[in-house]
């Protein structure tokens, strides 16, 4: 339990950095390709995908929120919309559910000065329908929702169909090679390893002490039975693990 708390604290810290870091100008059509590149490598490695997410966000001026929300509700009038207020945070959420994925828009206001717009598409098994949406419709949705080019995060959770015999650090090395990635830092436990790295395959990067754009986590189940789990994200992991 201690090691998982340690890992989750790391993810929490990085998540805070993700939320606070300034928006970067990137090309939407390149960012959605980061997700398909992750999929391609994992499929080549015979890893079963059971969860994926493409998440974009940008900061906006708080005084323009009301007009912006009205426009979004007009443009996405067939979505379900909700509104909540907790302490000093106001959240407006729009949701659309299809058979292969869920789309969600969130406008989150932290007091009068800090407002974020977030758009996420997520699904379970990767499908032709999902791939077609990400390739063709997602860039158009991004142009409709955001005023500029948002920062985008791609993340996949999967598992190995067969029990792997190699030690986790050995298998992690193989994955880094598959992603043409250079390790920056790593955490190793008996049944768990995580790595931050840099790969030229991906467009998004963040800088902490070093420039990085890839995170991977591998976990073997405790005890007998169960499959080894992988979570991988660019530039960082955003799926709970």
């Amino acid at each position: 339990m201690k090691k998982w708390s340690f890992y989750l604290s790391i993810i929490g810290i990085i998540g805070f950095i993700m939320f606070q870091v300034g928006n970067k100008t990137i090309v939407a059509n390149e960012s959605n390709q980061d997700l398909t590149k992750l999929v391609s490598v994992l499929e080549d490695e015979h890893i079963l995908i059971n969860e994926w997410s493409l998440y974009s966000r940008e900061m906006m001026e708080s005084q323009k929120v009301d007009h912006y929300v009205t426009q979004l509700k007009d443009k996405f009038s067939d979505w379900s919309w909700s509104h909540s207020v907790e302490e000093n945070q106001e959240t407006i959420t729009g949701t659309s559910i299809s058979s292969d994925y869920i789309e969600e828009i969130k406008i989150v206001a932290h007091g009068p000065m800090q407002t974020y717009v977030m758009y996420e598409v997520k699904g379970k098994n990767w499908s032709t329908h999902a791939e077609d949406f990400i390739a063709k419709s997602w860039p158009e949705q991004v142009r409709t929702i955001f005023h500029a080019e948002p920062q985008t995060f791609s993340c996949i959770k999967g598992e190995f169909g067969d029990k792997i015999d190699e030690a986790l650090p050995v298998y992690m090395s193989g994955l880094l090679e598959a992603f043409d990635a250079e390790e920056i830092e790593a955490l190793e436990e008996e049944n768990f390893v995580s790595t931050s790295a840099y790969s030229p395959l991906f467009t998004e990067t963040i800088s902490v002490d070093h420039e990085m754009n890839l995170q991977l986590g591998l976990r073997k189940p405790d005890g007998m039975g169960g499959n080894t789990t992988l979570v991988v994200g660019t530039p960082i992991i955003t799926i709970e693990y």
Side-chain angles (χ1 to χ4, degrees):
M1 181 66 72
K2 183 178 179 180
K3 64 185 178 185
W4 288 112
S5 299
F6 178 66
Y7 178 73
L8 290 172
S9 68
I10 292 174
I11 294 300
I13 291 169
I14 295 175
F16 176 79
I17 293 171
M18 175 187 76
F19 199 75
Q20 296 296 332
V21 69
N23 290 309
K24 296 168 57 181
T25 301
I26 49 90
V27 179
N29 285 334
E30 293 181 357
S31 293
N32 64 335
Q33 291 172 10
D34 283 353
L35 179 62
T36 57
K37 289 174 184 176
L38 288 176
V39 169
S40 178
V41 171
L42 297 190
E43 288 180 339
D44 286 345
E45 296 297 311
H46 307 292
I47 295 169
L48 176 66
I49 295 170
N50 50 34
E51 188 175 348
W52 58 269
S53 170
L54 190 61
Y55 164 85
S56 301
R57 68 152 193 97
E58 75 174 1
M59 193 172 180
M60 70 174 297
E61 296 180 30
S62 297
Q63 62 266 33
K64 297 181 179 180
V65 169
D66 290 342
H67 179 64
Y68 173 73
V69 170
T70 300
Q71 288 183 320
L72 282 181
K73 288 183 176 180
D74 288 341
K75 292 175 182 177
F76 299 94
S77 58
D78 57 336
W79 288 32
S80 298
W81 290 90
S82 64
H83 176 251
S84 65
V85 178
E86 295 181 4
E87 295 181 354
N88 67 333
Q89 178 174 300
E90 181 178 8
T91 304
I92 299 164
T93 305
T95 306
S96 175
I97 301 174
S98 74
S99 59
D100 290 277
Y101 49 81
I102 297 172
E103 294 179 81
E104 186 174 80
I105 300 171
K106 277 189 177 182
I107 303 94
V108 180
H110 297 273
M113 301 299 293
Q114 194 176 57
T115 300
Y116 286 88
V117 181
M118 292 163 278
Y119 170 55
E120 183 178 28
V121 185
K122 59 185 177 182
K124 298 298 183 180
N125 300 327
W126 185 252
S127 66
T128 302
H129 186 200
E131 183 175 9
D132 187 62
F133 177 87
I134 294 301
K136 298 176 182 178
S137 300
W138 182 83
E140 181 59 34
Q141 295 286 67
V142 167
R143 285 190 288 269
T144 300
I145 295 166
F146 297 99
H147 294 129
E149 296 292 350
Q151 190 170 21
T152 298
F153 305 84
S154 304
C155 198
I156 294 176
K157 188 175 181 179
E159 61 182 30
F160 301 87
D162 298 320
K163 185 177 180 180
I164 62 174
D165 296 325
E166 298 92 341
L168 289 182
V170 174
Y171 208 89
M172 179 66 80
S173 295
L175 287 173
L176 289 173
E177 183 177 352
F179 282 109
D180 191 24
E182 179 180 353
E183 181 181 286
I184 295 173
E185 59 184 5
L187 171 68
E188 295 184 11
E189 299 286 349
E190 182 180 359
N191 293 319
F192 164 76
V193 295
S194 68
T195 298
S196 297
Y198 179 83
S199 167
L201 295 178
F202 304 111
T203 58
E204 291 280 9
T205 62
I206 63 170
S207 295
V208 185
D209 293 326
H210 303 278
E211 188 174 53
M212 57 171 281
N213 64 1
L214 184 66
Q215 280 192 317
L216 305 98
L218 280 172
R219 177 172 64 88
K220 281 186 175 181
D222 295 326
M224 301 294 293
N227 294 329
T228 298
T229 302
L230 164 74
V231 62
V232 56
T234 177
I236 62 172
I237 291 171
T238 56
I239 291 177
E240 291 184 10
Y241 183 43

